[in-house]
Amino acid sequence: MTTDALIARLRGAVGERHCLVDPALRASYETDWTRRFGGAALAVVRPGSTEEVAAVLVACRDAGVGVVPQGGNTGLVGGSVPRDGEVVLSLRRLSEIEPVDARAGEVTVGAGAVLADVQRAARSAGWDVGVDLGARDSATIGGLVATNAGGVNVVRHGAMRAQLQGFEAVLADGTVLRRLPGMPKDNTGYDIGGLLAGSEGTLAVITRVRLRLVPTLRRRAVCVLGFERAADAVEAAAELRQRLGSVMALELFTDAGLELVLRHTSLAAPFTPRTAVYLLVEAATDDADPADGLLAAFEALGLHEEAAAVASDEAGRHRLWQLRERHTEVMNAEAIPHKLDVSVPMARYAELVERAPEAVTEVDPTARTIAYGHIGDGNLHVNILGPAPDATDVDDAVLELVVSLEGSVSAEHGIGVAKVDWLERDRGPETVAAMRAIKAAWDPSGILNPGVIFRADG
Ligand code: FAD
Ligand code: MLT
Ligand code: ZN
């Protein structure tokens, strides 16, 4: 099929208005959030229904042209943007949010529904969404499922796969798979929805999702504690997680990251004198002020003499959270960052925090390393500022260290294109062969997100 014939079929599938070929209109879909990854698309198509998604996939399959599914384009590993002439399939128009099923505590939404909108809908019905993250105003539910996103409440509610109660998805040949009744117990054959979670657009295009909701907890308290050693923050996080049933989030950042946040925003330090490492704890309950429980736990753990800032009111909590959440935008403001999202067993976490900057400066003495992350999940975001966007030696040095600590090269962002060379190093050839067999069975023509997770030529 010629390119013109494919464009004509895509226009026929989604309507002229929703098939973008003009470079100026395509531009915002062609570069990722970090600006490190991107390429030209043949076209950007914006289907308005599951049937239109199926028609686009069949046209691209017939033409042998790759398809890059895209939600909010907030992914950080280059999986949501074209590499070389693929069709970008934007799911954002599938943004319907059905009424909350209050009795079941579930909601069915289109893949393009934005997380913050779903949170608002859930909260207005007395429920909440189990996953929350800094990209909530742009990230879509389809993208969150496709990456099995984690975020700040994994210690309490698990990652996105744990929220999935049902799905609708379209295979590369246009077949629609649908299972949306939403029963928490449903062991009838393989867990297809569970497999779609974390598949990064390589197995099927997710069009609808049924989410389990969690109870709204109205009383919240946030505390930032200061430490001189990462090992002490790890110890405190582990104790708090075990002793305090109200823990919602356990986050880590360092003074190097705080310094940049203070430089780029109007925020103030949580306390002075500043310390080397900070632990942010959020606790939530539905009755008593959770600050009381937090302070009692600090007392029991002998942490009452540590540097600390506590807030129960909404503005104060928001201020403390901003110190952690704004790290991501600040990295972008400084440079085009190399973002390495990794996890290690908790026993090695402090070692990773200490050794990652050393591993980086060994290969690039001018590079700056800023680490922050979800300490409660053993997840650290190692950001490297300075190296050229296409340099890989600093990335390799950090991932080498992570593998030597028996960690994972991707904790919550996925493999994307950024880490394709590390998949086999991390998982081993047998596991990668099993993954490839699944990919070949579901997408035999290989049109779904080629080059993501697996190297395209492999
Ligand atoms: P996109 O970026 O558009 O796509 C991501 C991947 O999913 C791509 O491979 C794409 O092809 C695929 N995809 C998208 N939609 C579909 C679909 N409907 N069907 C099939 N495949 C699809 N991530 C975390 O895990 N935790 C965090 O705490 C976190 N915080 C962040 C904070 C900021 C400020 C930013 C910018 C990003 C953050 N992220 C975080 C990363 C990002 O938000 C998540 O990966 C999110 O899940 C991506 O959703 P999206 O809709 O933007 O997907
Ligand atoms: C975070 O936890 O802030 C996100 O995963 C984004 C990032 O890694 O910068
Ligand atoms: Zn994160």
Side-chain angles (χ1 to χ4, degrees):
M1 193 189 305
T2 63
T3 300
D4 285 350
L6 174 59
I7 300 285
R9 265 182 80 176
L10 295 174
R11 286 190 172 133
V14 298
E16 180 110 23
R17 207 156 64 85
H18 295 295
C19 177
L20 314 178
V21 288
D22 179 339
L25 297 178
R26 293 188 331 240
S28 66
Y29 299 84
E30 292 182 326
T31 304
D32 84 322
W33 203 87
T34 67
R35 297 160 290 153
R36 190 176 176 205
F37 302 103
L42 181 72
V44 175
V45 291
R46 306 189 308 170
S49 68
T50 302
E51 293 68 32
E52 290 185 11
V53 171
V56 168
L57 290 178
V58 171
C60 291
R61 194 268 322 261
D62 291 351
V65 168
V67 176
V68 179
Q70 189 182 94
N73 198 14
T74 65
L76 300 170
V77 287
S80 54
V81 284
R83 275 72 66 186
D84 186 20
E86 297 87 352
V87 166
V88 171
L89 177 63
S90 168
L91 281 310
R92 278 186 237 170
R93 286 181 66 218
L94 305 187
S95 58
E96 189 197 353
I97 301 175
E98 291 184 14
V100 169
D101 180 342
R103 187 171 294 170
E106 293 175 359
V107 66
T108 300
V109 305
V114 168
L115 175 58
D117 294 334
V118 180
Q119 288 173 328
R120 269 189 287 275
R123 285 171 194 161
S124 68
W127 290 91
D128 208 341
V129 180
V131 161
D132 189 22
L133 41 75
R136 63 184 71 80
D137 290 320
S138 309
T140 63
I141 297 297
L144 292 159
V145 173
T147 54
N148 188 26
V152 293
N153 295 147
V154 172
V155 279
R156 182 67 170 256
H157 299 302
M160 205 59 195
R161 185 180 290 118
Q163 321 308 321
L164 197 61
Q165 291 286 5
F167 68 94
E168 179 189 81
V170 188
L171 297 178
D173 67 359
T175 305
V176 178
L177 305 181
R178 189 178 290 118
R179 183 74 195 159
L180 286 163
M183 281 95 65
K185 291 190 171 173
D186 190 7
N187 290 347
T188 310
Y190 295 145
D191 180 6
I192 300 289
L195 188 55
L196 289 175
S199 63
E200 300 186 49
T202 63
L203 293 181
V205 176
I206 299 158
T207 46
R208 279 164 89 198
V209 172
R210 188 159 177 94
L211 289 176
R212 139 184 119 103
L213 300 174
V214 298
T216 320
L217 296 172
R218 285 178 188 80
R219 315 251 351 228
R220 287 173 184 256
V222 176
C223 176
V224 173
L225 285 168
F227 299 89
E228 285 312 326
R229 291 170 354 118
D232 295 333
V234 170
E235 190 62 30
E239 293 274 5
L240 288 169
R241 188 168 170 212
Q242 198 239 327
R243 282 169 183 258
L244 206 61
S246 56
V247 164
M248 293 293 291
L250 288 163
E251 299 285 314
L252 171 125
F253 53 98
T254 67
D255 203 49
L258 178 65
E259 177 64 32
L260 292 186
V261 170
L262 300 183
R263 192 188 306 159
H264 287 277
T265 68
S266 56
L267 293 163
F271 41 73
T272 48
R274 282 163 41 189
T275 54
V277 179
Y278 303 89
L279 172 67
L280 181 150
V281 191
E282 180 170 41
T285 63
D286 212 14
D287 39 40
D289 183 351
D292 298 341
L294 264 180
L295 295 174
F298 295 161
E299 185 88 38
L301 295 173
L303 294 173
H304 53 288
E305 285 174 8
E306 303 296 332
V310 189
S312 293
D313 64 301
E314 193 169 349
R317 286 186 277 127
H318 183 69
R319 254 196 317 276
L320 292 179
W321 258 118
Q322 292 286 292
L323 297 173
R324 162 63 183 88
E325 275 198 349
R326 296 189 70 177
H327 273 66
T328 312
E329 74 179 64
V330 159
M331 296 306 121
N332 265 28
E334 282 281 305
I336 295 182
H338 289 234
K339 299 184 79 72
L340 300 167
D341 155 52
V342 299
S343 57
V344 289
M346 204 50 88
R348 316 304 294 270
Y349 194 87
E351 192 180 344
L352 177 65
V353 176
E354 306 287 350
R355 286 179 60 192
E358 296 164 11
V360 169
T361 43
E362 256 173 43
V363 293
D364 184 344
T366 62
R368 285 179 293 158
T369 305
I370 312 286
Y372 50 92
H374 314 285
I375 187 172
D377 316 322
N379 180 187
L380 190 69
H381 298 309
V382 181
N383 284 245
I384 305 158
L385 307 175
D390 58 354
T392 54
D393 51 352
V394 285
D395 305 44
D396 290 346
V398 173
L399 298 180
E400 196 80 60
L401 171 64
V402 168
V403 170
S404 78
L405 297 176
E406 299 182 337
S408 167
V409 299
S410 169
E412 58 172 6
H413 296 165
I415 295 291
V417 296
K419 294 179 186 163
V420 281
D421 290 333
W422 279 87
L423 181 71
E424 194 158 314
R425 276 293 306 281
D426 181 305
R427 288 299 114 127
E430 297 82 5
T431 302
V432 174
M435 290 185 192
R436 277 190 180 279
I438 295 169
K439 166 75 175 168
W442 285 44
D443 178 22
S445 47
I447 61 157
L448 286 176
N449 232 356
V452 166
I453 300 186
F454 313 104
R455 193 161 271 296
D457 52 9

